[in-house]
Amino acid sequence: MTKRVIADIRAAMSQAIAAGEEVLSNGGTATDAVEATIHILEDSPHFNAGKGAVFTHDGTNSLDASFMTGHDRQAGAVAGVTNIKNPISLARALHDHSEHVMLSGQGAEDFALSRGMDTISADWFYTEGRYQSLQRVLEREAEGHSSTGAILNAPDRKYGTVGCVALDQQGNIAAGTSTGGMTNKRYDRIGDSPVIGAGTFADNASCGVSCTGHGEYFIRWAVAHDVHARMTYGGASLEEAANAVIHEVLPEVGGSGGLIALDQAGNISMPFNTPGMYRGYKRAGEEEYIEFYGE
Ligand code: ASP
C-alpha cells in the first residue's frame, strides 16, 4: 500500500470512530453509534463493504450485513443485497421494525422499499481495485487453483469486512458487521457476516462481537457466539475467550481471521491470526487507537 492509501484508510477509520464517539458522548445509544460508524466505513472505497465491496464471480457486488443489541438480543441481518447503499441501515431497520431476523436478496430489497429506504444503482459499488482483484483471482482459477485456494492464496487478498461494537452510557452493547463477502464468490454464497452467532453477536451479560475472516470457518465454529459462550458458561474473561477462539480453535482447523469484542466493563479485545487487521477504538476522554499490523 502506498503511504497515501494508508493515510486515507487511517483517516476514514478516524472519522468513523469519531462519528460513533459523538453519538455516545452526547448520551446516544450504542445502536446509533454502531450504525453511524459503519456508515462511514461502508461509504469509503477502502473497505470491503458498501462502496469498495469485493466482486462476485459474475462481476457483481452482493452485500451482507447484520446488527444485534445486547440488552434485548434483538437482531437484524440481510444477505445478498445489490442496490442498498448502506446495508447496515437495512439490517438495523430489520432489527427495529420486523418480526424476522434475516432476509435475503429481492425480499430484503422489498423490505427496504417498504421502509422508504432509497435504493442505488449497482454501479455505485464499483471500484477499479476490487475489479482487478477479481480478474487476478479468475486468472489463478484458470491456472487450476481451486476457487477458495485462488482467493486465499491471491497476493492481494485481505479481509476487509467492517464492524463496530459500542457500549453506551446506559450500559448497553450493540454490534454490527457489513461486508461484500469474499472475492469470486458464486452461487449466491453467503458468509458469516450476516449470520447472528457467527459474524456478529451481542449480549449485555457477556459482550458484543464482530468478526472478519474466512466465513465458512466462522460459521462452522460459531465464532461470535463461542466468545459469548466461553464467558457465560466457562467464566472466561473477554480477552481469554476471544484469544482462545482466534488463536487456538481456528488455527487448528485452518480458519483465518479476527474479531473485535467489547464487554460491559469496557474491556476491549481485538485478536487476529492474520498478519494484520485494521482496527481501532476510542474510550471516553482518551486518545483514539488505530493500528493495522501486529498485536
Ligand atoms: N467474513 C467475510 C465472509 O466470509 C469476509 C471478510 O471478513 O472479509 O464473507
Side-chain angles (χ1 to χ4, degrees):
M1 286 193 296
T2 62
K3 279 191 177 152
R4 172 70 196 272
V5 172
I6 292 173
D8 284 354
I9 293 172
R10 193 174 271 276
M13 290 174 67
S14 188
Q15 198 192 341
I17 290 171
E21 206 231 346
E22 191 184 339
V23 171
L24 297 175
S25 61
N26 288 326
T29 62
T31 309
D32 286 341
V34 167
E35 185 181 7
T37 301
I38 292 183
H39 247 236
I40 288 171
L41 300 172
E42 286 179 333
D43 289 348
S44 161
H46 294 298
F47 309 97
N48 174 18
K51 185 164 185 69
V54 298
F55 281 82
T56 67
H57 182 78
D58 300 323
T60 59
N61 306 100
S62 175
L63 313 166
D64 307 329
S66 62
F67 201 96
M68 187 165 182
T69 40
H71 62 286
D72 55 3
R73 285 223 198 182
Q74 279 288 352
V78 293
V81 296
T82 57
N83 61 4
I84 303 296
K85 181 166 174 269
N86 293 103
I88 196 66
S89 293
L90 181 52
R92 177 174 177 184
L94 194 55
H95 163 283
D96 289 357
H97 303 291
S98 171
E99 59 185 321
H100 305 305
V101 168
M102 194 172 195
L103 300 178
S104 70
Q106 187 60 53
E109 291 171 1
D110 290 346
F111 176 76
L113 292 175
S114 81
R115 295 297 316 165
M117 293 176 72
D118 289 334
T119 55
I120 199 162
S121 150
D123 304 348
W124 163 257
F125 301 108
Y126 182 93
T127 53
E128 183 62 20
R130 298 292 193 201
Y131 189 71
Q132 291 309 328
S133 294
L134 171 66
Q135 303 315 311
R136 284 192 287 276
V137 171
L138 289 174
E139 279 161 25
R140 288 182 59 79
E141 205 175 41
E143 286 162 9
H145 296 272
S146 73
S147 172
T148 309
I151 299 164
L152 294 177
N153 300 324
D156 56 354
R157 181 199 63 75
K158 51 182 177 336
Y159 302 112
T161 289
V162 306
C164 174
V165 190
L167 171 66
D168 63 28
Q169 292 180 32
Q170 290 70 45
N172 291 323
I173 296 172
T177 309
S178 180
T179 191
M182 286 176 84
T183 302
N184 196 31
K185 64 183 183 180
R186 62 202 297 189
Y187 309 123
D188 291 339
R189 175 266 187 193
I190 295 176
D192 59 311
S193 306
V195 179
I196 296 298
T200 302
F201 198 74
D203 187 329
N204 278 2
S206 57
C207 59
V209 183
S210 172
C211 301
T212 181
H214 191 170
E216 281 68 11
Y217 290 87
F218 281 67
I219 294 173
R220 289 157 63 208
W221 271 268
V223 166
H225 186 269
D226 193 13
V227 177
H228 156 82
R230 283 165 189 271
M231 294 176 73
T232 306
Y233 311 129
S237 68
L238 181 81
E239 190 69 13
E240 288 165 350
N243 278 330
V245 179
I246 295 298
H247 291 305
E248 292 168 26
V249 175
L250 288 178
E252 203 164 299
V253 294
S256 59
L259 59 82
I260 54 171
L262 169 67
D263 69 14
Q264 226 181 13
N267 295 305
I268 293 168
S269 181
M270 304 191 289
F272 50 95
N273 60 32
T274 46
M277 181 176 82
Y278 305 166
R279 61 203 184 279
Y281 64 78
K282 186 158 187 343
R283 288 194 170 91
E286 291 182 17
E287 289 289 296
E288 72 178 12
Y289 165 95
I290 293 179
E291 211 44 79
F292 292 174
Y293 299 101
E295 277 201 69

